[in-house]
Amino acid sequence: MNGNSLIAGRWVAGEGSFQSAPATGVAKTYSAGTPTLVAEACAAAEDAFWTYGYSKREDRAAFLERIADEIEKRGSEVTEIGCSETGLPAARLEGERGRTTGQLRLFSDHIRDGAYLDYRHDAALPDRQPLPRPDLKMVQRPIGPVAVFGASNFPLAFSTAGGDTAAALAAGCPVVVKGHPAHPGTGEIVAEAIDDARKALDLHPGVFSFVQDGGVAVGGALVQNPFIKAVGFTGSLRGGRALFDLCAARDEPIPFFGELGSVNPMFLLPGALKSRSTEIAQGWAASLTMGAGQFCTNPGIAVVPEGPDSEAFISQAAAAMQETVPQTMLTDGIAQAFCEGRDRIASTPDVTTVVSGTTQNRDAGAFLYRVSADAFEANPVLAHEVFGPLGVVVVAKDITAFASIARALEGQLTATLHMDPDDSAHAAQLLPILERKAGRVLFNGFPTGVEVADSMVHGGPYPASTNFGATSVGTLSIRRFLRPVCYQNLPEEFSISA
């Protein structure tokens, strides 16, 4: 551990320092990133693009696979420091490490296949009347250096070598990562793995850089650097929106692919409640409290119709949540924000407290509230994300009110329908609304646990994400870092299929 930033193959100290704030163990000192280091990393990334951006797919696939191998070599070290920094259990971090290496290998297979290039060819029609048609070929090309911001709640899968980095490198884009202050040591180890993979394959050192946290100045310098052509971000609405605005205000505006938060509503239809209230209640409580509720897909709202089946559901969910023990949250700041969100919900008019857990320092218990549909729609604050183990049950007068509640919601990462066959008519009425509100619509499941697969969409209308046509999980996420180029009458000696 050197505690520095990796700038184009060199570990470099910044001008200041900061202390980590681990959940367990001793705090360590890290050299803070600076705008100067950002500028050096971005210039190196631009220089690297002239070779890496035109490299063969097979070479980039080998790079991704070598990164996965290097991360696995460091498995025990990653788990040890990750547990210390975040308070996450070893099993969770080991699973996340597997997901991270799996993403890298998924993209290596994806680019070898070549379908992502979306190659199209309209052959010349020289004899067409009244005018001939030229030969036209179209292919997707990498956009240039990409900035990636590490996420607080996923120190591996959404951070240094996470999905954004994997997709950008697969596309042919050099990457500059801004590490998250919640897990600087974990970020450093993974950055070392990426750099060792780069060295083994003799790639340009500017293809990857890792800048330790240095406050808002470093983030601002990164998104405003003229060499950066897109940004990948997972984090808070406030922080993401500030960076989004900086990207839009540049002389050359660039896309900001931010995943900013969601309450992931569930709609429980009458047939499902009658036949499976206990099963759904227990599943919801488990999903809601898993990992101290620190998932962007945490199902924070359950909408139910008035009646005895819903009362049974609420009682069963409350019983399951009361059995959970307080869990350590990722940072002091997240714990404080959770308490503020909890207090905001509890003090809203017409909200009833069902379960009130205990909180102490970074340890958070489970909380459950209920509110009528009328009060929920009258108080938009109740539909704002509270990042942690907290749920709100919205009780509607009848099933016809579900559509009004759904229409009032902002954009979401997910929306869920719990239904039995007898609920099909009601579900058919809700589905078109939910399709417009969410990037992933689930049936009879829980949204925590995002499968890494070709078909996955992890994104949604604002404020779930800043670009409703993009996803940060799944192979479609590579399209964020590509743009179409058409070649007219391209000479035969030139190839566009690398």
Side-chain angles (χ1 to χ4, degrees):
M1 299 292 294
N2 60 63
N4 295 329
S5 296
L6 175 68
I7 309 298
R10 299 178 300 114
W11 290 99
V12 184
E15 297 172 357
S17 64
F18 67 95
Q19 290 283 112
S20 66
T24 59
V26 179
K28 295 181 172 62
T29 301
Y30 290 87
S31 178
T34 65
T36 299
L37 294 179
V38 167
E40 292 176 10
C42 293
E46 173 66 12
D47 192 48
F49 181 71
W50 296 110
T51 51
Y52 189 72
Y54 297 89
S55 60
K56 293 187 179 300
R57 288 180 280 131
E58 177 57 40
D59 293 340
R60 299 198 301 278
F63 182 34
L64 295 171
E65 290 170 342
R66 186 60 181 259
I67 294 171
D69 293 342
E70 293 290 341
I71 291 172
E72 288 172 345
K73 283 182 186 178
R74 296 162 172 80
S76 59
E77 187 181 4
V78 169
T79 299
E80 181 181 359
I81 194 165
C83 289
S84 172
E85 289 183 326
T86 66
L88 294 172
R92 154 69 195 274
L93 280 170
E94 288 164 1
E96 190 181 334
R97 186 177 74 242
R99 171 176 171 163
T100 304
T101 56
Q103 288 174 157
L104 290 159
R105 294 183 174 119
L106 175 68
F107 276 108
S108 70
D109 292 340
H110 185 59
I111 60 175
R112 279 192 177 104
D113 174 77
Y116 80 99
L117 293 168
D118 198 16
Y119 179 77
R120 304 179 188 200
H121 182 202
D122 291 300
L125 298 175
D127 298 326
R128 189 184 68 173
Q129 295 298 326
L131 293 172
R133 183 176 76 185
D135 184 86
L136 300 170
K137 295 175 180 175
M138 191 214 79
V139 72
Q140 299 285 343
R141 299 296 302 146
I143 60 173
V146 169
V148 172
F149 284 72
S152 63
N153 60 331
F154 279 89
L156 299 173
F158 279 87
S159 290
T160 308
D164 289 344
T165 297
L169 292 176
C173 298
V175 172
V176 179
V177 170
K178 178 194 169 292
H180 197 282
H183 41 78
T186 308
E188 181 185 317
I189 294 173
V190 177
E192 178 188 83
I194 298 173
D195 196 50
D196 280 358
R198 177 199 64 78
K199 291 174 184 175
L201 299 177
D202 195 27
L203 299 177
H204 190 296
V207 75
F208 175 82
S209 290
F210 172 81
V211 183
Q212 288 284 11
D213 182 65
V216 295
V218 168
L222 183 54
V223 302
Q224 291 179 299
N225 188 280
F227 293 128
I228 295 298
K229 299 304 177 186
V231 179
F233 174 90
T234 299
S236 69
L237 174 60
R238 192 171 94 178
R241 183 54 196 256
L243 293 171
F244 174 88
D245 291 344
L246 287 177
C247 288
R250 287 175 31 149
D251 290 340
E252 177 201 1
I254 59 172
F256 178 85
F257 298 104
E259 189 257 277
L260 307 181
S262 181
V263 294
N264 306 294
M266 304 191 314
F267 293 83
L268 281 63
L269 302 184
L273 272 173
K274 183 174 288 295
S275 64
R276 295 183 284 117
S277 66
T278 300
E279 175 188 338
I280 298 171
Q282 292 175 347
W284 184 43
S287 180
L288 196 64
T289 59
M290 181 173 64
Q294 298 169 113
F295 294 93
C296 48
T297 53
N298 199 34
I301 292 175
V303 183
V304 299
E306 282 184 357
D309 295 327
S310 293
E311 295 303 321
F313 164 79
I314 295 170
S315 296
Q316 291 152 353
M321 292 177 70
Q322 286 168 336
E323 292 178 359
T324 63
V325 298
Q327 300 175 71
T328 302
M329 303 200 81
L330 291 157
T331 69
D332 293 332
I334 289 174
Q336 180 180 349
F338 171 71
C339 291
E340 291 170 354
R342 173 204 63 195
D343 295 344
R344 183 181 69 240
I345 297 291
S347 63
T348 301
D350 302 315
V351 169
T352 300
T353 300
V354 180
V355 174
S356 182
T358 59
T359 56
Q360 184 176 9
N361 299 323
R362 278 169 67 169
D363 293 339
F367 292 81
L368 181 64
Y369 302 92
R370 67 179 290 165
V371 65
S372 70
D374 289 342
F376 180 79
E377 292 192 56
N379 294 280
V381 69
L382 296 174
H384 293 174
E385 180 186 36
V386 178
F387 196 61
L390 182 150
V392 177
V393 180
V394 179
V395 182
K397 291 180 180 178
D398 53 48
I399 192 67
T400 60
F402 278 29
S404 175
I405 296 169
R407 288 192 182 97
L409 290 168
E410 296 181 311
Q412 305 291 327
L413 292 171
T414 75
T416 299
L417 282 167
H418 287 279
M419 59 171 288
D420 277 4
D422 291 346
D423 296 315
S424 294
H426 293 307
Q429 293 174 350
L430 282 171
L431 185 56
I433 305 172
L434 300 184
E435 286 176 352
R436 294 189 67 185
K437 294 291 181 176
R440 177 164 56 116
V441 180
L442 295 84
F443 293 83
N444 298 323
F446 301 94
T448 41
V450 181
E451 186 69 28
V452 179
D454 284 331
S455 308
M456 178 53 65
V457 173
H458 189 61
Y462 186 85
S465 57
T466 55
N467 188 310
F468 61 79
T471 174
S472 62
V473 179
T475 52
L476 185 63
S477 66
I478 197 173
R479 292 295 294 272
R480 297 173 297 168
F481 309 124
L482 298 165
R483 65 180 182 86
V485 178
C486 178
Y487 301 85
Q488 185 167 322
N489 293 330
L490 183 73
E492 291 184 3
E493 60 264 32
F494 291 99
S495 171
I496 60 170
S497 60

